[in-house]
Amino acid sequence: MVAHRRQPPKELDPALILRAYAMGVFPMADARDAGSVYWVEPKLRGVLPLDGFHLSRSLRKVVLSDRFRVTVNRDFPAMIRLCAESAQDRPDTWINGVIERAFIQLHHRGHAHSIECWDGDRLAGGLYGLALGRAFFGESMVTRVRDASKVALVHLVARLQAGGFRLLDCQFITDHLASLGAIEIPRDDYVALLAAALGDSTGSTGATALPSSASGDLFALDAPGEEAGTVSGPLSRKVIAQLLGQTS
């Protein structure tokens, strides 16, 4: 892992974050209460090939059941806060206040998205990440109820497939991600995949205005007439099963 110089304790410019991701670099913090961030460019990058997602029979049953209500962008601030919280299996996280506030700004600008899994009115888990061109950068996933984060990832992969995305960046590999099909690739290979996914969408300076023809559509699965990304209902679950049935 290559760590770049630390930033002073100040707010992160959302436009700077977009330019950094377009170059394969992303911010992290040492701890939740850290006052600064540092920039990271891993020598080995975790990616999840969209045509290589491993959907087990047991997980498929959970996805097709009515166990969780799955939403997109219903409560992004709550999702990132949940990802930033300490838990018994991870006492600290790398999401500090600077990163949290910057990604909430990116969400308001249409770049950062969350997929939430609800158990009744309780946020049971989910994930959030950044969409740029035809690349989606998964930032963090969390579960408070068994299988919640896995179901969110299944919905994400299906949406990325349907929406014409070409890259799902996982940053680092974990055993959990590897069991779902994620792999590690060298930095040079990752940069080539990133360039293909971005195409000319970021312009020469990483501009934030992306032409729709060069961008993936995270909401391609949503039924006409429904609010985009509000709820992944029975229709979406059926389409997800069909899409991922080809890769299980």
Side-chain angles (χ1 to χ4, degrees):
M1 180 173 70
V2 177
H4 295 247
R5 67 182 181 85
R6 293 180 183 276
Q7 290 282 98
K10 62 180 182 181
E11 299 304 297
L12 280 174
D13 179 7
L16 172 63
I17 294 177
L18 293 177
R19 290 195 296 271
Y21 276 82
M23 296 186 295
V25 182
F26 55 88
M28 295 186 72
D30 285 326
R32 173 63 172 162
D33 60 356
S36 62
V37 305
Y38 55 92
W39 297 97
V40 180
E41 185 180 19
K43 293 181 178 179
L44 291 175
R45 193 72 164 232
V47 299
L48 204 166
L50 294 174
D51 60 353
F53 185 73
H54 297 164
L55 182 64
S56 67
R57 291 182 179 179
S58 59
L59 182 55
R60 182 187 179 90
K61 289 180 180 179
V62 175
V63 171
L64 291 175
S65 72
D66 199 26
R67 179 174 175 185
F68 297 111
R69 180 170 60 95
V70 182
T71 62
V72 181
N73 292 340
R74 172 59 63 85
D75 196 339
F76 184 90
M79 189 70 257
I80 193 172
R81 283 196 303 269
L82 189 66
C83 287
E85 285 179 2
S86 62
Q88 186 173 0
D89 59 340
R90 55 172 195 176
D92 210 345
T93 71
W94 54 269
I95 306 168
N96 67 351
V98 174
I99 292 174
E100 180 181 341
R101 290 188 294 273
F103 269 83
I104 289 176
Q105 290 185 60
L106 286 165
H107 170 66
H108 291 319
R109 298 183 187 191
H111 291 290
H113 304 280
S114 59
I115 296 184
E116 307 96 358
C117 286
W118 303 88
D119 183 10
D121 293 329
R122 175 191 179 190
L123 184 55
L127 58 86
Y128 80 94
L130 181 74
L132 188 62
R134 295 186 184 276
F136 190 92
F137 306 88
E139 288 296 302
S140 183
M141 55 193 299
V142 65
T143 187
R144 291 292 184 264
V145 176
R146 183 178 177 180
D147 292 331
S149 64
K150 292 181 181 179
V151 170
L153 184 59
V154 170
H155 278 259
L156 174 65
V157 170
R159 284 180 173 271
L160 297 182
Q161 285 185 354
F165 284 81
R166 301 181 63 177
L167 173 64
L168 174 51
D169 177 2
C170 302
Q171 297 180 348
F172 300 108
I173 285 291
T174 64
D175 291 342
H176 170 63
L177 288 173
S179 70
L180 296 170
I183 59 174
E184 274 188 333
I185 60 175
R187 182 191 304 154
D188 289 347
D189 292 347
Y190 171 78
V191 169
L193 288 177
L194 178 62
L198 297 182
D200 296 327
S201 63
T202 59
S204 59
T205 60
T208 59
L210 303 176
S212 59
S213 61
S215 301
D217 181 5
L218 193 63
F219 306 102
L221 284 179
D222 296 327
E226 292 184 357
E227 183 181 351
T230 299
V231 178
S232 295
L235 176 61
S236 289
R237 288 199 296 268
K238 182 178 179 180
V239 174
I240 286 170
Q242 291 172 345
L243 283 171
L244 297 183
Q246 302 170 10
T247 64
S248 58

